Amino acid sequence: MSLNFPDNFLFGSATSSFQIEGHPHAKGAQPSIWNTFCKKKFAVKNGHNGTIACNHYELWEKDLEIIRRLNLDSYRFSVAWPRILPAGEGPPNEKGLDFYDQLTDRLLEYDVTPMLTLYHWDLPEHLQAKGGWAHPQSPDWFANYTRAVASRLADRVPLWVTFNEPWVFLHLGMVTGEHAPGYRDPAHAAMAWKHVLLAHSRSVETLRSCSESIEVGLACNISPFIPASSDEKDIEATSRMEAYHNRLFLDPWLKDSFPDVADHAFGRYTPAWTESERSEAATEIDFLGINYYSPNRIAHQSDTFLEVGIRPPKPPVTDMNWEIYPEGLYEVLEWAFERYGPLDLYVTENGCAYTDSVGNGIVKDNRRIHYFKNHLEQCSKAVSDGIPLKGYYAWSLLDNFEWSFGYEKRFGIVHVDFSTQQRIIKNSGYFYRDLITSVKEGKKELVPYEDPIIF
Ligand code: PNW
């Protein structure tokens, strides 16, 4: 495997607050929409919830020790809004900020660059009660929250992500109802779309006013869309879905262009925009983060916008039944650079769910090693071809709360035993560590990580 990465390339790993922290009531915090959603019958597999999760809230020092041992250059984490502004508004809860303050200091002490995500889906329940993202004041709420976090941390955190995967929380949370808040309400989703577009730009503006030296970006999930056949109808359905999934937010933000897809997707609920709102939404950012997992295969089913046939993935697939297609990572990086560049890019998430047996403190997750190796190879190729890819974050540092799948799907490079909270670095974690070390030593080739991992 060739390793064409510049010296300052950031190899990291990512997590999110709700998925790992637990302790939703600690030090004055209040529940988020995910705490509420988990209480709904059949919302989350096996009735799992985030009350304890990986207990990272108490075990963070241990987790940072793991990060240090893995030789990571960077760590991407998210801040839980309900710890900072428990009721959504009012003065910030300093004790909530303390948690991320000490986390940041420890990362810096370990020479690990923090990348902070402001919103990874855990909206304060109090704000949802007022209408959540459909409320016209939600961009102000988000700007206030941004100010609270940035006033404390912008002097030390260099990389800021406003939103994680806006399309996913909009679509799964408000159109299909599979994620919190669990609505199937196109009118609500349409308003939320508009307010999230405005909230991001208000947040970027706030961040810039807090510090001139930070870099500000976004993390979006981008997938290649593949028609099920060469039939014109399949091709048309595929391009509809591609626009909806990949460009619903990015075109307005980064190209100041409103894709027709919004009108088609939201129909009569499409919100009205004034000229000044549109230009307010369009915002310059320093980097675009791409979360890449798999491609989507689409067939025509009906002319109704969202009624397309999602074709089964081609094997091999992961435990999520997500198709493995490493070339797709190169394709989406190239696509993003051509469409939205010039712009720095990061792979802010990439990884796979597999359950592997644990024996004598060893987790032989060869399939995950192959997944990472093949995807990192595509990153190396992208760098060789001049795509300004600045870093890569493995999803995820820890096995954690995988949203509606609960703890059943394991994405970690570190195994978590959810009854004892013991952590075990998986072989994929050691593979990643060795790859990072090889790059730091200036090696251009990774000695093929033969499957000696089979002990
Ligand atoms: C992302 N989809 O979620 C999130 O950013 C992570 O929090 C999550 O754990 C990870 O990917 C793995 O799922 C997604 O349905 C959830 O297309 C759903 C989809 C994509 C990404």
Side-chain angles (χ1 to χ4, degrees):
M1 174 189 179
S2 70
L3 296 175
N4 188 18
F5 295 102
D7 284 348
N8 56 357
F9 192 89
L10 294 180
F11 288 101
S13 186
T15 60
S16 89
S17 44
F18 190 82
Q19 293 179 276
I20 64 167
E21 288 177 358
H23 300 272
H25 289 283
K27 308 244 160 116
Q30 292 278 319
S32 79
I33 54 172
W34 269 94
N35 293 111
T36 313
F37 187 67
C38 289
K39 291 188 184 142
K40 261 175 73 170
K41 252 202 156 135
F42 308 121
V44 176
K45 194 90 192 278
N46 306 317
H48 287 165
N49 62 56
T51 309
I52 299 171
C54 305
N55 194 14
H56 173 75
Y57 189 78
E58 288 182 339
L59 301 179
W60 65 275
E61 290 181 279
K62 188 164 159 174
D63 294 334
L64 263 54
E65 194 56 36
I66 293 172
I67 289 173
R68 198 176 63 82
R69 290 225 198 158
L70 290 175
N71 208 7
L72 302 185
D73 300 313
S74 184
Y75 174 53
R76 174 175 175 237
F77 62 94
S78 81
V79 172
W81 189 344
R83 295 197 191 286
I84 313 305
L85 290 157
E89 292 169 288
N93 172 22
E94 297 298 330
K95 286 186 178 158
L97 284 162
D98 289 345
F99 178 74
Y100 301 102
D101 199 306
Q102 55 186 7
L103 186 83
T104 299
D105 280 345
R106 188 69 59 87
L107 287 169
L108 295 174
E109 190 187 319
Y110 289 171
D111 209 15
V112 176
T113 303
M115 178 187 273
L116 184 154
T117 302
L118 284 164
Y119 189 71
H120 203 125
W121 311 351
D122 41 0
L123 186 74
E125 178 56 43
H126 284 290
L127 292 180
Q128 189 62 51
K130 293 183 183 168
W133 291 109
H135 194 288
Q137 271 179 346
S138 54
D140 297 334
W141 300 338
F142 192 57
N144 287 340
Y145 161 59
T146 302
R147 182 166 298 105
V149 181
S151 308
R152 201 43 142 29
L153 296 175
D155 60 334
R156 282 159 291 150
V157 172
L159 299 169
W160 291 71
V161 169
T162 56
F163 282 100
N164 180 68
E165 299 190 350
W167 179 85
V168 174
F169 75 78
L170 186 90
H171 183 71
L172 299 185
M174 304 167 213
V175 179
T176 70
E178 292 160 82
H179 278 190
Y183 297 165
R184 284 182 180 218
D185 182 346
H188 188 98
M191 289 315 295
W193 171 65
K194 176 172 179 173
H195 297 141
V196 170
L197 282 174
L198 293 169
H200 162 74
S201 61
R202 295 283 307 279
S203 175
V204 171
E205 197 182 302
T206 306
L207 287 166
R208 302 246 187 257
S209 74
C210 289
S211 166
E212 284 172 11
S213 55
I214 57 174
E215 294 193 23
V216 180
L218 269 166
C220 288
N221 61 309
I222 310 287
S223 296
F225 279 73
I226 307 171
S229 80
S230 54
D231 190 297
E232 219 168 275
K233 290 209 144 195
D234 286 347
I235 295 174
E236 188 277 328
T238 306
S239 80
R240 261 194 266 163
M241 281 303 105
E242 187 276 327
Y244 178 57
H245 182 289
N246 289 344
R247 301 193 272 115
L248 186 64
F249 285 92
L250 286 180
D251 276 8
W253 275 330
L254 304 182
K255 283 181 81 73
D256 197 2
S257 103
F258 280 63
D260 298 344
V261 65
D263 294 341
H264 295 306
F266 301 127
R268 63 195 166 96
Y269 302 114
T270 308
W273 288 85
T274 64
E275 251 339 288
S276 77
E277 283 172 336
R278 274 174 178 249
S279 51
E280 198 192 324
T283 310
E284 261 189 48
I285 50 173
D286 303 307
F287 67 88
L288 175 61
I290 292 182
N291 296 355
Y292 173 74
Y293 290 94
S294 73
N296 288 312
R297 298 183 182 270
I298 306 289
H300 175 265
Q301 191 165 293
S302 122
D303 287 328
T304 309
F305 186 79
L306 292 176
E307 284 174 24
V308 295
I310 313 248
R311 278 296 156 95
K314 284 215 170 119
V317 296
T318 67
D319 279 1
M320 298 295 282
N321 201 26
W322 291 353
E323 179 171 339
I324 304 176
Y325 179 53
E327 293 80 6
L329 178 53
Y330 184 94
E331 290 169 19
V332 297
L333 289 169
E334 187 181 42
W335 172 84
F337 183 59
E338 281 175 4
R339 188 169 181 86
Y340 302 114
L343 189 67
D344 281 353
L345 299 178
Y346 285 86
V347 174
T348 32
E349 286 180 25
N350 175 237
C352 54
Y354 285 118
T355 299
D356 294 283
S357 56
V358 189
N360 299 324
I362 297 169
V363 182
K364 300 175 192 171
D365 58 338
N366 284 8
R367 294 171 296 181
R368 187 174 286 99
I369 292 175
H370 284 284
Y371 186 98
F372 282 130
K373 177 177 168 291
N374 293 335
H375 286 79
L376 281 158
E377 207 150 34
Q378 296 296 321
C379 293
S380 170
K381 185 163 172 264
V383 171
S384 306
D385 291 351
I387 295 175
L389 178 64
K390 304 296 178 189
Y392 172 95
Y393 293 80
W395 184 269
S396 178
L397 179 70
L398 304 171
D399 288 340
N400 60 41
F401 177 80
E402 179 48 35
W403 308 113
S404 53
F405 296 91
Y407 298 96
E408 208 177 81
K409 305 289 182 212
R410 294 177 173 270
F411 275 92
I413 55 176
V414 175
H415 174 87
V416 176
D417 179 324
F418 291 102
S419 48
T420 62
Q421 290 296 344
Q422 189 188 41
R423 277 91 160 118
I424 298 171
I425 298 176
K426 298 182 191 177
N427 283 348
S428 58
Y430 292 118
F431 161 80
Y432 195 42
R433 177 197 64 183
D434 291 352
L435 182 142
I436 297 169
T437 309
S438 300
V439 172
K440 299 292 164 243
E441 287 172 352
K443 295 202 180 117
K444 290 292 168 203
E445 277 293 317
L446 178 71
V447 189
Y449 209 83
E450 296 159 44
D451 302 304
I453 315 212
I454 305 164
F455 293 89

